[in-house]
Amino acid sequence: MSGRIAVIGLGPGEARWLTPEAAAELAAAEAVYGYGPYLDRVPALHGQARHASDNREEIARAGAALAHAAAGARVAMVSGGDPGVFAMAAAVIEAIEAGPAEWRALEVSVVPGITAMLMVAARAGAPLGHDFCAISLSDNLKPWELVERRLRLAAQAGFAMAFYNPVSKARPWQLDRAFAILRAELPATVPVIFGRAAGRAGERIATVSLAEARGDMADMATCIIIGTPATRIVPREGLPDLVYTPRRADAGGTERA
Ligand code: SAH
């Protein structure tokens, strides 16, 4: 069996953020699987089969791609950003673990990409310059109580945070609740960065204080970075502010410039 599956990160959007390795894997693939909007970003190649699927069908999509690879094909599975961050790489490996023994013999390559939080952080300055964590606010795959607990503990531990999947039609109130939890733990002045469609058309980056942050400032294409009590804003005459979290922290967890 010569089958191979590459789980490829496409980066945030524009072609210049696609790595040369990802481009080479896409060019070599006989079939490309993925969520429709991500597939649309991949230039169509002659003779390459495309299998678009719905956002919520991750395990079915992984199984179809693996069965195709097990039949001897070179298959690519695409994700936005990095495939290992709230995306398809874990779904593919989960399917391999639960699937037929022959799937374990496949060649598997996970091709990293620039994940949303890194793109948003780069646009703002260096808000993730010290310890941080990433939290998906979606309760599709975990109970909301666990999200709340992790928010509280991350704030208490002094982590900067990146929120993925901040809102959806099915989750209208959760983001405001998340801000309320953080306001109970953190100073009102902590910077909150809303990064929408970072690295692609329609990009919008805005920084407000935790006191001002509201759920309706984000949509599904937004990654939100919550600073720490030590995160600083450097104003500049006629130029965008620079938001950064200093590299040093004392024993209490407070960073120092
Ligand atoms: N694997 C992706 C994340 C998938 S989860 C990655 O590594 O980036 C989907 C969430 O990612 C969205 O709800 C949003 O929070 C975030 N996201 C994806 N692309 C984005 C972009 N270009 N700008 C801002 N946020 C983005």
Side-chain angles (χ1 to χ4, degrees), residues 11-13 38 41 79-88 113-117 119-120 163-167 195-200 219-224:
Y38 295 144
R41 287 199 213 157
S79 281
D82 182 274
V85 179
F86 308 122
M88 286 307 297
I114 297 173
T115 187
M117 68 179 174
M119 191 71 223
V120 173
F163 291 170
Y164 285 75
N165 300 309
V167 286
R196 182 180 187 279
R200 62 171 188 257
D219 65 8
M220 278 163 63
T222 307
C223 180
I224 301 169

Side-chain angles (χ1 to χ4, degrees), residues 138-149:
S138 170
D139 58 1
N140 283 343
L141 300 170
K142 64 188 167 192
W144 176 253
E145 301 73 59
L146 180 62
V147 177
E148 292 201 0
R149 187 162 152 257

Side-chain angles (χ1 to χ4, degrees), residues 4 17 25 38 47 58 64 80-81 91-92 99 120 128-129 131 142 145-146 157-158 162 200 212 215 226 241:
R4 173 177 162 74
W17 308 118
E25 285 285 2
Y38 295 144
E58 280 137 352
V92 166
V120 173
L128 305 179
D131 296 344
K142 64 188 167 192
E145 301 73 59
L146 180 62
R200 62 171 188 257
E212 296 163 326
I226 314 287
D241 293 348

